[in-house]
Amino acid sequence: MSFSLAIIGRPNVGKSTLFNRLTGKKLALVDDRPGVTRDRREGEAKLADLRFTIIDTAGLEEGAAATLEGRMRAQTENAILSADAILFVIDARVGVTPDDKYFADLVRRAAKPVILIANKAEGKAGEAGAFEAYSLGLGDPVPLSAEHGEGMSELYAALREALPEETAEPAEEEEEQDENLYDDEEDGSDLDVTKPLRITVVGRPNAGKSTLINRILGEERLLTGPEAGITRDSIGVNFLWRDRKIKLFDTAGLRKRAKVIDKLEKLSAADALRAVRFSEVVVLLIDSTIPFEKQDLTIADLTAREGRAFVIGLGKWDLIEDKNATLTKLREDAERLLPQVRGCPVVPVSGATGQGLDRLMEGIAATHEVWNKRIATSRLNRWLLQTVEETPPPAVSGRRIKIRYMTQAKSRPPHFVLFGNQLEELPSSYERFLINGLRKAFDLPGVPIRISRRAGDNPFAGKKRKG
C-alpha cells in the first residue's frame, strides 16, 4: 500500500492544517494569513489503515513565471505531476470563488483522480459552501474540518473509491517482508548505514541554502529567487549519494533574535532550530563575500550546544576572486572563532556553478563517522595517565585534584566521564585542555566533545575533625 496525494487549492483554505492532521504532527507552519506555505513539503501520513505520502503545496495564484507567485505555482504543478491523486480543497465558509473555478479546470486537465474537499465545514456556516462545491464538476464534495478532525471517515471512503488498487489490502508476502525489515533494524551499532543520514543546512537569510540543495539534488526541488527569506518551512528531501540514503533539510534564514518581530518569522526560526535538534550533521552555509558575521557564530555555537556534527560551507564561492588566499584566511578564522568544533571541514561551494559539492558531501560523511566514534577505555587511560603526569591539574586549597580514570559513556557526540577526587573543583580551563588533547590524540575534528565528572564518595564527609 503505497501512494501519494497532493493537497491543492487557493491560499488560506486550510491545506497545511489538513497536512498536519493527516501526518499527525505539526510539521507545516500554519497561520491565519494567506500564502504561508511556499515550498512543497512531503510527509508520511495515515488514515485508519491507509499509509501514504502527502504533499503540502503553496496556494495556487496567478502570476508570471518570473515572479515569486509564478515560481510557487510551478512547484505546485510539479507536485500534481508526481502525485497519484489530488485533494482539491476549497473553503466551505467562503464558498466557490472565481479562483476555485479557474484552478479546478487546471486540476481537471491533470487527468488524475481528484477528491474535492470542502474544508471548514463544521457548523451551519459551512453547509451552503459545501453544497455549492458541486458546481465545480469534480464529483461529490467531502465536507470536513481539518482543524477539528471532522469528516475523516468520509475522506477515507473517498480515497478507497478513487484509488481502489492502491488502497487494497496488502498481500501476506508483503507483511512478511515488513517483519524482515523490522528485524534488520535491531543492529545496536552507533553507525547505522541502513537509516538515512539526516543533514540540515542552516545560515543567514539569502546565503544560498535552497540554491545549493537544488544543485546537490540536480533538480529545482526547492523554491529559489533573488528575494531574501523565501524559505519558511523546514523542508526535508530524500536522495541517494554514492548508495547512501540521505535526508537533507532546507531551513529558513536565521536572523538576530532582536530583529525577528513578525510572528511568521518567529515560527520559521523555531522550525529551523527544531530541524537542527533532530539532525545528525549541520552544514552552516556562510556567504563568502561577508563571512563570519556575529549571527554565523551564534548559529555555530547553537549547533555545538545541541551536540551535532558540524561542517562549514563557504557559499557563493564563484564570486571570490583570490580563491587560494581567501580560503587560507577563512580556515584560519574558523579555527580561531569556533574552538568548540575545531578542525571541522571548511569547504568552498557554489550553488550557481556546482563547485565543491562532492567535497562537501565527503566532509559531511567523514564528520558523521567521527561523531559516531567510540574509543577503547584502555587507550583513553593510557593517554590520560601520560597527560596528567606531564600537565597535572592545579591544586585547590592546598590539595591536589586527582583524576584516576576515564571512559567513554556514549557517542553522537563523543561523551567522556572522568573519575577522581575533588573533580567539582576542576577548572574549566583544564577541562578545555583535556578536550583539546582528546581531539588531537584520537582524531576528533569537527564535533563537540562532552566531559562529565564523577567523584568518589568521601568517607569522612559530615564527620567533625578532631582537635
Side-chain angles (χ1 to χ4, degrees), residues 14-26:
K15 298 184 298 299
S16 295
T17 305
L18 179 59
F19 176 88
N20 288 342
R21 172 68 61 181
L22 292 173
T23 58
K25 301 176 182 178
K26 293 183 178 180

Side-chain angles (χ1 to χ4, degrees), residues 75 123 274 286 293 327 333 345 358 382 437 466:
Q75 289 286 326
R274 176 182 172 276
I286 293 175
E293 291 197 339
L327 180 57
D333 290 344
D358 281 339
R382 285 196 298 269
K466 293 182 179 180

Side-chain angles (χ1 to χ4, degrees), residues 192-437:
D192 187 357
V193 296
T194 64
K195 296 182 179 179
L197 169 57
R198 297 172 66 92
I199 305 168
T200 298
V201 182
V202 296
R204 291 182 280 115
N206 211 28
K209 301 180 290 296
S210 300
T211 303
L212 177 67
I213 294 175
N214 282 342
R215 177 67 69 167
I216 292 174
L217 299 175
E219 61 173 306
E220 293 297 315
R221 173 62 179 81
L222 301 170
L223 188 65
T224 60
E227 304 90 350
I230 288 179
T231 302
R232 286 175 174 167
D233 293 86
S234 296
I235 306 297
V237 184
N238 293 296
F239 74 104
L240 281 176
W241 178 75
R242 297 181 182 176
D243 296 327
R244 179 74 188 274
K245 290 188 286 186
I246 306 286
K247 186 154 192 177
L248 191 58
F249 288 85
D250 186 23
T251 60
L254 296 173
R255 296 198 299 163
K256 294 180 181 178
R257 184 178 297 178
K259 293 185 178 181
V260 180
I261 300 174
D262 182 69
K263 174 190 172 184
L264 187 55
E265 187 174 358
K266 289 182 180 179
L267 291 173
S268 297
D271 199 32
L273 297 179
R274 176 182 172 276
V276 169
R277 294 187 183 100
F278 284 93
S279 64
E280 298 172 88
V281 182
V282 172
V283 177
L284 173 59
L285 190 63
I286 293 175
D287 188 338
S288 299
T289 60
I290 41 175
F292 291 113
E293 291 197 339
K294 184 177 180 180
Q295 183 64 0
D296 293 324
L297 304 181
T298 301
I299 297 171
D301 185 61
L302 168 70
T303 301
R305 283 190 277 114
E306 291 294 337
R308 306 301 96 184
F310 193 74
V311 175
I312 295 176
L314 301 176
K316 303 182 182 180
W317 194 247
D318 54 298
L319 303 179
I320 301 299
E321 295 182 1
D322 191 351
K323 290 181 169 50
N324 291 332
T326 303
L327 180 57
T328 300
K329 180 181 183 303
L330 293 182
R331 282 177 171 164
E332 292 174 353
D333 290 344
E335 291 288 300
R336 174 174 55 86
L337 297 171
L338 301 172
Q340 64 270 48
V341 286
R342 181 170 287 129
C344 69
V346 180
V347 185
V349 293
S350 171
T353 65
Q355 177 184 354
L357 299 186
D358 281 339
R359 287 194 297 273
L360 178 65
M361 295 303 299
E362 289 166 0
I364 290 170
T367 305
H368 182 249
E369 189 173 344
V370 172
W371 192 62
N372 285 274
K373 192 172 184 178
R374 281 192 172 273
I375 303 168
T377 302
S378 57
R379 291 183 61 202
L380 280 173
N381 285 282
R382 285 196 298 269
W383 170 83
L384 180 65
L385 178 63
Q386 181 180 354
T387 301
V388 171
E389 285 181 352
E390 294 176 354
T391 310
V396 177
S397 301
R399 294 183 61 190
R400 181 72 66 185
I401 297 174
K402 294 182 180 179
I403 303 176
R404 293 193 174 93
Y405 184 75
M406 173 184 274
T407 187
Q408 183 175 357
K410 60 181 181 179
S411 59
R412 305 166 65 89
H415 187 163
F416 304 93
V417 181
L418 293 175
F419 296 86
N421 290 346
Q422 291 187 286
L423 292 182
E424 67 276 3
E425 303 293 338
L426 189 69
S428 57
S429 58
Y430 195 81
E431 184 175 306
R432 288 194 299 270
F433 164 74
L434 292 177
I435 288 175
N436 291 332

